[in-house]
Amino acid sequence: MDWKPHAAALAAKVTHPESAWWGPIRQTPRHVLVERWFTPDAQGWTAFHGPSDEGMWADAAYSDTTLVTRVGPVHADLAALGKPVTGLPTSSSTLPSLVVTMLEHGRLTAGVRLLDLATGSGYSAALACHRLGDGLVTTLDVDPYLTEAAADRLDRIGLHPTVVTADAGSELPGTFDRIVSMVSMPRIPASWLTALAPGGRLVTTITGTGLIITADKTDDGGAAGRVEWDRASFMTTRTSDDYPPGLSGLFTTASTEEGDVSVSPFPVLNVMQAWEVWSMLSLAAPGIEHRTGTGEDGSRMAWMLHPDGSWARARTAPGDRTTTVHQGGPRRLYDVLEAIRWRWLEHGELPVYGARATISPDGTTTFSRGGWTATL
C-alpha cells in the first residue's frame, strides 16, 4: 500500500503544519497497526481483514475514526471472518484527533519520560516515539495479546518503546515525567502519583464522564489541575478479559415494575448525548447504566439502572413535553437527574467543565467550581 499520501491527508485533517504532531502522524503507517477491526451490524460485530481490500483498509486506517479491535474477549485478529461476535468493545485504535488531544494535554517536551496507558493498537505509542524517541516511551496494557501484537507491529515500522503488560491501577513500572491515559479510570490511583516524578503531569479521563483531567504533581505527593474545557470519553479500565455483565435482569424489572410514579416537566433526555449533564450525573451517582428506546406508539423511552438495584424508567408520549417516570430500588436516580437539569436551566451551565481538580496522595480527587464540589 502507498500509505504516505493517506497519512498526509490524515495529518491535514487532525492537526496543522506548525503542530509538533504533524510530522508523527505523517510518519506513522496506522494500517500496519490495525490489520483487522470489527464493524457493527445487525448480528453484532463482524471482523474485517484489511489486506483483503486495500482500498477499504486505507479508508478505515487513515480516517479520523475509532476502529474497534476487540469485542468481549475476542480480538479481531483472532475472530473468524464473516462470523459475528456479540458483546461490548474492549479495545480499539482510538480516533487520531483524540489521541493527539490527549498527548497535547500532556505537554510533551524533549527529554520527558512518558507512560502511555492502554497500548491498544500501539498508535499513541507510535506517535510518542516519533516525538520523544523510543527510549523515553513506555506503553502499558492489561491484555498480553494486545501488548505482544502491538510490540511486533511497532517493531515492523521501526519503533521500539518499552511495552509492559500490567494493570493500569496497580504499581507502575518506573518513574515518569508524564502519564497520559487512553483508558478511563473510576478514580486516579495512588500508584500514578507515586510513579509521577516531581513536577510531572498526568492526563486522564474519568469513567462514565466526558471529563479530561490534567494535573501537575505537588510537593505533598498529590497533584493539582483542572477539568479541561474540551471533552473525551474512553473505554473504562478493566482487570480481566471482559467487562462485568450488564444489568439485564434489573432492566427487566425496570421495564415491568410500577415503582414510585411521578411526572417530570422535562421531556426524556438521552443523557449520554448531553455531555455536561452526563458527566455531572456520573459524579453524583457513579455506575449508572443508561438505555434508550422507542415505544410501539413512537414514545421516547429512557432507563437508568444501577448495580445497587436502583432503577428508573421514563416515557415521553408523542406530542407531549412532560414525562411519566417510574422509579424503584434504594435510590431515586431520576430525582438526581432532575436536580441537575434544574440547575442547568437556572444557571445556564453546569460547573463540571473548567472545575479545579485537587488530588491527594492517596488519589482522592475533589472537583470544585463556583461553590460546587464533588469528590471521588
Side-chain angles (χ1 to χ4, degrees):
M1 179 193 296
D2 183 12
W3 60 271
K4 290 186 178 180
H6 298 289
L10 177 60
K13 184 172 186 178
V14 304
T15 185
H16 54 86
E18 291 75 28
S19 168
W21 300 105
W22 173 263
I25 294 172
R26 292 170 63 96
Q27 295 163 19
T28 301
R30 189 184 183 213
H31 73 286
V32 176
L33 303 175
V34 191
E35 294 183 353
R36 288 195 188 196
W37 64 96
F38 285 106
T39 57
D41 55 36
Q43 286 74 45
W45 299 84
T46 300
F48 184 84
H49 181 234
S52 67
D53 186 331
E54 285 198 351
M56 289 187 65
W57 192 12
D59 287 345
Y62 297 99
S63 63
D64 189 27
T65 302
T66 292
L67 300 176
V68 172
T69 54
R70 196 173 185 275
V71 173
V74 182
H75 197 284
D77 291 349
L78 308 176
L81 296 178
K83 188 174 182 179
V85 175
T86 58
L88 295 174
T90 49
S91 189
S92 67
S93 182
T94 300
L95 68 160
S97 60
L98 181 51
V99 171
V100 169
T101 293
M102 298 298 285
L103 293 172
E104 285 180 333
H105 280 306
R107 298 180 182 173
L108 306 189
T109 54
V112 301
R113 297 161 293 176
L114 169 69
L115 177 60
D116 164 54
L117 287 174
T119 304
S121 69
Y123 186 68
S124 54
L127 297 185
C129 284
H130 283 300
R131 179 83 172 86
L132 301 173
D134 296 0
L136 293 173
V137 178
T138 298
T139 184
L140 179 152
D141 204 293
V142 71
D143 189 320
Y145 178 80
L146 291 176
T147 53
E148 181 180 353
D152 175 68
R153 290 167 181 168
L154 288 165
D155 179 71
R156 276 192 263 157
I157 63 175
L159 300 174
H160 307 95
T162 299
V163 183
V164 177
T165 304
D167 178 357
S170 63
E171 183 178 355
L172 299 180
T175 301
F176 305 94
D177 303 298
R178 304 288 188 271
I179 297 174
V180 179
S181 180
M182 304 292 174
V183 66
S184 71
M185 304 296 293
R187 66 192 301 271
I188 294 168
S191 59
W192 289 19
L193 298 162
T194 300
L196 200 60
R201 183 175 180 84
L202 65 84
V203 183
T204 190
T205 55
I206 299 299
T207 298
T209 76
L211 306 180
I212 301 173
I213 311 302
T214 61
D216 301 316
K217 191 163 185 178
T218 50
D219 291 341
D220 66 354
R226 60 179 287 178
V227 177
E228 297 294 340
W229 285 100
D230 49 354
R231 62 194 189 185
S233 179
F234 285 91
M235 295 178 189
T236 189
T237 187
R238 56 185 173 84
T239 57
S240 60
D241 272 350
D242 203 351
Y243 295 120
L247 300 173
S248 295
L250 186 59
F251 178 64
T252 300
T253 299
S255 299
T256 56
E257 295 291 327
E258 184 75 4
D260 293 340
V261 184
S262 60
V263 176
S264 166
F266 305 121
V268 162
L269 176 70
N270 186 340
V271 173
M272 295 186 69
Q273 296 296 320
W275 288 69
E276 280 186 291
V277 175
W278 174 49
S279 296
M280 193 157 175
L281 176 62
S282 295
L283 293 180
I288 296 174
E289 182 179 308
H290 296 275
R291 301 191 186 191
T292 60
T294 303
E296 292 181 359
D297 61 353
S299 57
R300 295 163 55 192
M301 304 285 296
W303 293 262
M304 301 167 66
L305 315 170
H306 195 277
D308 70 2
S310 301
W311 59 268
R313 177 176 79 252
R315 174 182 176 272
T316 299
D320 285 354
R321 293 186 176 180
T322 60
T323 296
T324 302
V325 179
H326 301 255
Q327 302 187 79
R331 288 189 290 178
R332 297 297 173 261
L333 299 178
Y334 211 86
D335 291 355
V336 180
L337 172 61
E338 290 283 272
I340 291 169
R341 294 181 74 176
W342 277 115
R343 179 169 186 150
W344 193 19
L345 288 175
E346 290 167 358
H347 296 272
E349 66 166 358
L350 292 174
V352 282
Y353 288 95
R356 175 179 173 79
T358 304
I359 308 167
S360 66
D362 68 357
T364 300
T365 302
T366 300
F367 303 107
S368 58
R369 180 169 174 246
W372 167 82
T373 64
T375 299
L376 293 177

